[in-house]
Amino acid sequence: MATASTAVSGTARRNADLLARRSAAIPAGIVTATPAFAARARNAEIWDVEGNRYVDFAAGIAVCSTGHCHPEVIAAAEAQLHGFTHTSFQVMAYEPYVALAERLNALVPVAGPKKTIFFNSGAEAVENAVKIARLATGRTGVIAFAGAFHGRTLMTTALTGKTLPYKRGFGTLPGEVWRVPFPIAHYGVSVEASLAAMDTLFRTDADPGSIAAMVVEPVQGEGGFHAAPPAFLQALRELCTKHGILLICDEVQSGFARTGRLFAVQHAGVEPDLVTMAKALGGGFPIAAVTGRAEVMDCVHPGGLGSTFGGSPISCAAALAVLDVIEREDLPARAASIGETLRARFEGWSRRDDLLPIAHVRGLGAMMAFDVVRSRGSDEPDPEGAKRVAARAFELGLILLSCGIYGETLRFLTPLTIPDEVLEEGLAICERALAV
Ligand code: PLP
């Protein structure tokens, strides 16, 4: 078997050689945050092809919340591999799909009877949630928020609220997508201002009777880890109910224990009509889901929804194990405690003169972030600073991601199964990377 530093052919593999092959074979449009190539990963650690070890504070962009290669998840996937790998649920159904749907129907915080359908990616889940909402309401308009990220298909690109790199140059996007500012205090947008903009939109451009759905991330992910204030989500719920609009919560990044509850929207006590999920659900295997009110989900005619690979039996088996692990290891509680550790550390860093100036420590549970700013006490974003810290952290052995509409935010997405000593090790590296 190939080891961390030996190629299948027996010759040593080097990151630099693979990078050269990568740039020759793969288009520039897909970027990679780090210059190394993975060879092996376990829980919160990754080794590259040269045998270098990294503490992983990215978890494959919020996917490996149960850690890389959780033994139970791997065992469940392996057991399924020995049965069959694919039939397409549209050709011959299988129990893991049904069992996972039943499980999500019991867990997702939507009122009343529920149904669930599976897809492959977060974007596909959002795309299909919009299709379902359009059929269920007979309307086409969709409201989305500034700074939102919902994916890279054409509809989800239209819903996404950041031009570069996601929208620029891709031409005409699906229409009747309306944008409202997302409440972020340090950008000067209050809950009241956001709701006033919605009111203006309804009066000037988009009659509420033409709107099928509002799509909202309870905690914005790529937009910078901004938690929607509970009062805001409650107000959206009221507006949706009043106008017959469906509320779609996109929990692709915030879901599955990351914020200290199974779903972030539960912090606000709000019940959406539809919930989109992906990422951590599969524990490293690709799967996405839409769960919604049964009468809404059943509005679509037979054949109107589907996907060749959606709800792969291997991913469904893995996801069932992920849900078991979340429950048995009480990962919501672990997320809350990781969040407390991170918050205390970041607040300490924000007061130190020997570190780069950071501000706006924020987050929900273990979905934590802060901004790198130009000077202490200012709100002026320093995206180059954030990029430098992430690059320096990588050189020191920590994988750390940036985000935010200016790229000024460093976000922390540790596996929730991370042992305390690895968490401490990663934080110590981050502190060194922040040194001026
Ligand atoms: N929705 C949210 C909130 C996300 O964070 C993402 C990805 O980061 C997506 C949708 C798109 O998911 P995918 O990349 O699996 O298509």
Side-chain angles (χ1 to χ4, degrees):
M1 211 175 107
T3 64
S5 56
T6 313
V8 176
S9 65
T11 55
R13 286 177 296 169
R14 310 281 314 165
N15 288 317
D17 298 340
L18 288 169
L19 267 179
R21 282 170 56 195
R22 178 203 196 283
S23 50
I26 293 164
I30 177 159
V31 295
T32 308
T34 59
F37 283 72
R40 184 170 172 272
R42 288 292 179 277
N43 202 358
E45 296 163 89
I46 304 188
W47 290 263
D48 71 13
V49 291
E50 296 178 16
N52 302 305
R53 172 182 168 274
Y54 306 90
V55 172
D56 185 10
F57 276 9
I61 325 183
V63 166
C64 297
S65 293
T66 44
H68 290 279
C69 301
H70 192 291
E72 271 179 59
V73 176
I74 297 298
E78 201 172 15
Q80 180 58 45
L81 272 175
H82 293 298
F84 59 94
T85 60
H86 176 77
T87 58
S88 188
F89 193 74
Q90 293 166 200
V91 175
M92 186 180 280
Y94 37 87
E95 194 193 352
Y97 190 116
V98 179
L100 185 59
E102 290 168 344
R103 196 86 178 260
L104 291 180
N105 291 342
L107 292 170
V108 174
V110 164
K114 280 154 271 184
K115 289 198 172 178
T116 294
I117 180 169
F118 296 108
F119 301 98
N120 303 287
S121 72
E124 244 188 287
V126 175
E127 188 89 30
N128 279 280
V130 170
K131 283 172 70 179
I132 294 165
R134 284 185 166 182
L135 261 175
T137 58
R139 308 170 179 180
T140 45
V142 187
I143 291 174
F145 294 89
F149 183 82
H150 297 293
R152 296 169 189 269
T153 59
L154 282 175
M155 179 43 119
T156 57
T157 295
L159 293 172
T160 287
K162 182 174 174 181
T163 49
L164 202 67
Y166 305 124
K167 304 174 86 146
R168 184 182 289 176
F170 290 119
T172 308
L173 297 170
E176 287 210 58
V177 171
W178 307 99
R179 192 155 319 278
V180 169
F182 191 78
I184 298 171
H186 68 268
Y187 290 164
V189 183
S190 63
V191 169
E192 295 70 30
S194 176
L195 293 174
M198 181 91 72
D199 186 62
T200 303
L201 172 71
F202 285 163
R203 290 173 195 283
T204 56
D205 279 314
D207 181 79
S210 71
I211 303 295
M214 287 188 199
V215 187
V216 64
E217 294 162 272
V219 183
Q220 282 197 337
E222 306 303 302
F225 280 27
H226 304 289
F232 180 67
L233 292 174
Q234 289 153 12
L236 296 188
R237 176 68 275 176
E238 272 174 36
L239 278 173
C240 284
T241 304
K242 178 174 167 198
H243 296 295
I245 297 168
L246 296 175
L247 181 62
I248 302 175
C249 276
D250 183 349
E251 294 261 11
V252 165
Q253 192 153 164
S254 57
F256 298 105
R258 170 68 47 193
T259 66
R261 304 288 299 264
L262 198 55
F263 296 98
V265 71
Q266 291 173 307
H267 290 277
V270 162
E271 291 177 322
D273 300 293
L274 296 158
V275 176
T276 54
M277 296 154 271
K279 291 193 185 273
L281 172 60
F285 292 86
I287 187 164
V290 180
T291 299
R293 283 168 38 214
E295 76 270 21
V296 169
M297 298 294 284
D298 277 334
C299 281
V300 183
H301 47 271
L305 300 173
S307 152
T308 302
F309 287 114
S312 134
I314 300 165
S315 297
C316 287
L320 285 162
V322 163
L323 294 175
D324 289 342
V325 170
I326 289 176
E327 221 172 279
R328 214 195 35 263
E329 299 187 14
D330 196 2
L331 293 186
R334 177 65 181 147
S337 111
I338 290 172
E340 280 166 27
T341 302
L342 296 182
R343 188 180 292 278
R345 198 64 56 93
F346 299 166
E347 280 171 357
W349 292 347
S350 73
R351 290 189 288 268
R352 282 183 38 188
D353 288 331
D354 57 334
L355 301 179
L356 278 180
I358 68 168
H360 315 134
V361 172
R362 60 182 178 271
L364 207 50
M367 198 168 174
M368 290 293 300
F370 57 76
D371 294 340
V372 180
V373 289
R374 297 260 172 226
S375 59
R376 210 160 304 283
S378 97
D379 282 335
E380 201 188 334
D382 182 4
E384 295 80 23
K387 207 182 266 181
R388 273 199 315 276
V389 174
R392 175 119 179 82
F394 183 75
E395 284 166 21
L396 296 169
L398 172 69
I399 300 173
L400 189 60
L401 296 178
S402 59
C403 65
I405 56 170
Y406 301 96
E408 78 277 38
T409 303
L410 290 170
R411 58 171 153 171
F412 292 72
L413 286 165
T414 73
L416 304 177
T417 48
I418 190 170
D420 282 338
E421 59 278 15
V422 182
L423 181 64
E424 282 305 321
E425 186 187 349
L427 286 172
I429 295 175
C430 188
E431 188 173 322
R432 282 172 64 202
L434 279 166
V436 283

